[in-house]
Amino acid sequence: MNRRDFLKLGTAAAIAVPSMSSWARGQTDVAAGTAYVPTPGATTCDVFVYGSTPSGVAAAVFAARNGCRVLLACPKKHPGGMLASGLCTLDSRRSDVHASFVFDFKKGMQDAIHSRPPGGPGEGKKHSGHLPSEAEAWFAGLIRAESSQLDYWPGHHLLRAVVQKGRIMEVELEAPDGTHKHVQATTFIDTTYEADLAAAAGVPYRVGRESQAEYNEPLAGIRYVSFKTGQVFDTPDSGDASPYIQAYCARCVFTTDPDNLIPFTKPDTYEQHLPDLLPMLEDFASGRIHNRSLGSPLAALKWELNGSIDQLTSLDLPGMNLYWPEAERKHRESLEKFHIDHAASYVWFLQNEPRVPDRVRQLWATAGLPKDEFADNNHWPWQIYVRQGRRIEGRAKVTQFNFLIDPKINRTPIVEHPIGVGEFSFDIHACQDRRFTANGLMEGVMWWPKNVPNPAEAGQIPYAAMLPKNIDNLLVPVGLSSTHMGMSVVRLEPCWMGTGQAAGYAAAEAKKHSLDVSQIDPTPLPGLTHTKVDPWASA
């Protein structure tokens, strides 16, 4: 079967994917006319936040600081999401529009730099970004500082949500020891990368890529875009819908400090991953690639390595995340391990495969895993890079047009009740692997180099995009209502940190006025989060 036929078959499935109504295996609806009976002994709070991502910590902390009794639960054992698990930079083009929580984080990382003991390895060498351990410590410190109002339950997995008359009444969680816990709250906030709580509550959502025709978004659907020139190459299937979303990866941290280095070991699954790695030999031989760097330099002789948008083989695993957004717990665990094993196989290949150029093997011979990062996960990241998951159907939708100039007003559109700003590029990693290249380009990649005009401009995110259509007391600041193209701008952590902070304040406003979060006036929120929600206004 050729590539075109394969993608056309995928498109038939994709048409259903964006319009899937719910993921309700974990939902319990209380029948109409039947009174909801609270589970005896349940934990009660004003605000329940699920997901200790940066957005989740922001929501929980600012709700707690403003008088709410908050419970923050997460399936992961560590707080901070990707910013504490390998994402060591804050991607941004317009930092002036960010919420105050983003600046709090930046200051926290600067304080961490100044707190490092003098004379450490690599001191004085140029580097960028923070260390994952420092970010995790900062997020954990924020949570501890609010302990009088904020309880933190790491390692707790959501089992179900109980819904009655458009409101979540309680949720059931599995604790690390296997016991079940019930939580009743007035406001619920879903800050997982996958919108798991929203799905459990029966909120309609999307996963795949919309066709160009659905919303007339110029770049929606299957696309081939040059990462060097920004040129869009048309193919017979350009603009078709697709179930494939941008790749995930294990965003790794390595070290070249001999005193802090744990040598790479050959994974037990190496032979399973070898077929994905061998094509790199062709890339070396053809001159498509000449080197394979350790990544971006960090402090203490550490390096951050991300998946690549321009290389055909990297830490990214296009296609392997097809089922992740809707997968159950055990399936996600196996997929996460697969991503980690791919990364471990990738580095072993570059370090030990004799057909890899000598200069590359010699470089990677100097590297290993840092003893002081991710210690309880064999020094590999404990959170893989879930660049996007489910996207809820909300009361407003963010599309590509939110970030395009409207020629009628010579700016991006003005939305009702903006609470955040997306200000980065349309940033999309490959959606399908190297077998489906055209013109030497990976399918789905979108990135514009600095020397090429970028079509994306700073645009507003409405409060209503966080509000599900069918649930009145739930906010979803991460998997908010958007198309795939809209999410490609929103998905950057500074943006999600701001929407999470706004959600925390919204929950506090709801408590203050005895309202659901769907009923509050969101007008004050940008002032509370210190977000410049009109990026086109003069300073």
Side-chain angles (χ1 to χ4, degrees):
M1 181 183 295
N2 64 34
R3 187 184 71 84
R4 300 294 172 200
D5 291 339
F6 181 85
L7 286 177
K8 286 292 184 182
L9 283 176
T11 299
I15 293 171
V17 171
S19 59
M20 290 184 67
S21 61
S22 68
W23 181 74
R25 284 185 292 271
Q27 178 189 1
T28 299
D29 276 310
V30 179
T34 303
Y36 159 68
V37 180
T39 300
T43 299
T44 60
C45 57
D46 298 311
V47 182
F48 174 78
V49 182
Y50 188 59
S52 59
T53 59
S55 184
V57 176
V61 165
F62 283 93
R65 288 179 182 175
N66 287 275
C68 295
R69 184 68 194 177
V70 182
L71 174 57
L72 170 62
C74 186
K76 293 295 183 182
K77 295 184 291 184
H78 304 267
M82 278 307 303
L83 287 182
S85 193
L87 175 56
C88 302
T89 54
L90 287 178
D91 292 318
S92 174
R93 294 193 299 163
R94 286 281 307 273
S95 61
D96 60 303
V97 301
H98 291 161
S100 62
F101 185 63
V102 178
F103 293 98
D104 292 344
F105 177 77
K106 290 181 178 179
K107 183 180 183 302
M109 295 303 94
Q110 285 296 316
D111 291 344
I113 291 173
H114 297 315
S115 298
R116 294 170 187 160
E123 186 175 64
K125 289 183 177 290
K126 185 177 180 180
H127 65 269
S128 61
H130 60 267
L131 300 178
S133 52
E134 293 174 343
E136 181 179 338
W138 186 79
F139 285 113
L142 282 185
I143 295 169
R144 284 195 304 272
E146 306 303 326
S147 59
S148 63
Q149 290 289 111
L150 170 58
D151 291 326
Y152 176 43
W153 290 1
H156 283 65
H157 292 263
L158 180 69
L159 297 176
R160 68 185 182 108
V162 179
V163 178
Q164 183 181 50
K165 296 180 179 179
R167 301 183 78 254
I168 301 176
M169 308 306 293
E170 71 176 62
V171 294
E172 183 178 356
L173 305 158
E174 182 177 318
D177 63 2
T179 59
H180 289 197
K181 297 181 180 179
H182 295 259
V183 180
Q184 297 151 9
T186 304
T187 297
F188 293 80
I189 303 177
D190 183 346
T191 50
T192 60
Y193 291 123
E194 301 86 359
D196 284 338
L197 174 55
V203 174
Y205 61 83
R206 294 170 174 244
V207 174
R209 289 180 284 168
E210 293 83 1
S211 69
Q212 190 276 329
E214 184 170 0
Y215 291 99
N216 294 316
E217 297 173 296
L219 293 172
I222 293 171
R223 293 291 174 185
Y224 291 90
V225 180
S226 171
F227 54 86
K228 293 182 178 179
T229 67
Q231 180 181 356
V232 179
F233 291 88
D234 286 331
T235 56
D237 47 10
S238 289
D240 287 354
S242 172
Y244 292 96
I245 57 176
Q246 62 178 313
Y248 302 168
C249 74
R251 190 156 175 161
C252 299
V253 174
F254 305 124
T255 185
T256 52
D257 176 11
D259 295 329
N260 191 36
L261 184 150
I262 297 174
F264 297 129
T265 57
K266 185 177 181 179
D268 294 338
T269 57
Y270 182 71
E271 298 300 326
Q272 179 183 359
H273 292 270
L274 191 57
D276 292 327
L277 304 173
L278 287 172
M280 278 197 288
L281 299 178
E282 301 172 16
D283 297 337
F284 284 120
S286 68
R288 180 183 174 94
I289 59 174
H290 301 283
N291 297 296
R292 298 258 79 173
S293 78
L294 302 179
S296 301
L298 302 173
L301 297 180
K302 294 177 183 177
W303 304 80
E304 169 199 14
L305 186 62
N306 189 16
S308 175
I309 60 168
D310 60 335
Q311 302 301 332
L312 302 183
T313 297
S314 72
L315 295 185
D316 277 347
L317 276 173
M320 280 304 301
N321 59 351
L322 180 62
Y323 300 108
W324 176 284
E326 298 179 291
E328 302 282 3
R329 172 182 172 184
K330 295 301 180 182
H331 190 188
R332 277 193 193 156
E333 288 175 358
S334 66
L335 290 173
E336 190 155 46
K337 183 179 184 302
F338 191 93
H339 281 75
I340 294 294
D341 286 353
H342 170 75
S345 299
Y346 174 90
V347 299
W348 181 261
F349 181 86
L350 293 177
Q351 192 181 65
N352 296 279
E353 169 55 53
R355 291 170 289 178
V356 169
D358 289 345
R359 63 184 178 279
V360 176
R361 284 189 289 112
Q362 289 166 6
L363 172 66
W364 280 91
T366 67
L369 297 171
K371 296 177 182 177
D372 54 355
E373 300 288 351
F374 318 129
D376 65 349
N377 201 47
N378 295 316
H379 309 280
W380 294 99
W382 43 261
Q383 164 77 63
I384 66 168
Y385 200 172
V386 177
R387 293 186 170 96
Q388 65 183 82
R390 299 183 183 92
R391 311 184 303 276
I392 67 163
E393 292 288 352
R395 304 181 192 196
K397 188 181 294 291
V398 178
T399 72
Q400 184 181 356
F401 290 107
N402 285 66
F403 310 109
L404 295 178
I405 299 294
D406 182 345
K408 295 180 181 179
I409 57 177
N410 200 32
R411 57 161 291 165
T412 52
I414 299 170
V415 306
E416 185 178 14
H417 298 309
I419 47 84
V421 173
E423 47 76 36
F424 204 58
S425 174
F426 299 120
D427 184 0
I428 305 174
H429 283 237
C431 298
Q432 301 208 61
D433 66 35
R434 63 184 294 152
R435 294 173 296 174
F436 307 108
T437 56
N439 299 302
L441 302 172
M442 297 281 274
E443 196 278 309
V445 169
M446 289 192 193
W447 179 255
W448 281 261
K450 292 181 179 179
N451 62 337
V452 174
N454 195 311
E457 296 286 351
Q460 296 178 325
I461 299 169
Y463 178 72
M466 298 196 298
L467 289 170
K469 286 183 175 180
N470 60 330
I471 302 291
D472 289 329
N473 65 337
L474 172 65
L475 288 168
V476 187
V478 176
L480 53 75
S481 181
S482 64
T483 62
H484 169 76
M485 286 304 303
M487 181 57 74
S488 74
V489 177
V490 171
R491 73 172 187 85
L492 283 303
E493 292 287 358
C495 184
W496 280 339
M497 292 162 83
T499 54
Q501 186 179 4
Y505 274 112
E509 288 290 296
K511 179 185 178 182
K512 177 180 177 182
H513 299 288
S514 300
L515 298 170
D516 280 331
V517 285
S518 63
Q519 299 171 315
I520 69 164
D521 176 8
T523 305
L525 296 180
L528 295 171
T529 63
H530 302 284
T531 302
K532 184 180 178 181
V533 290
D534 188 353
W536 296 84
S538 57

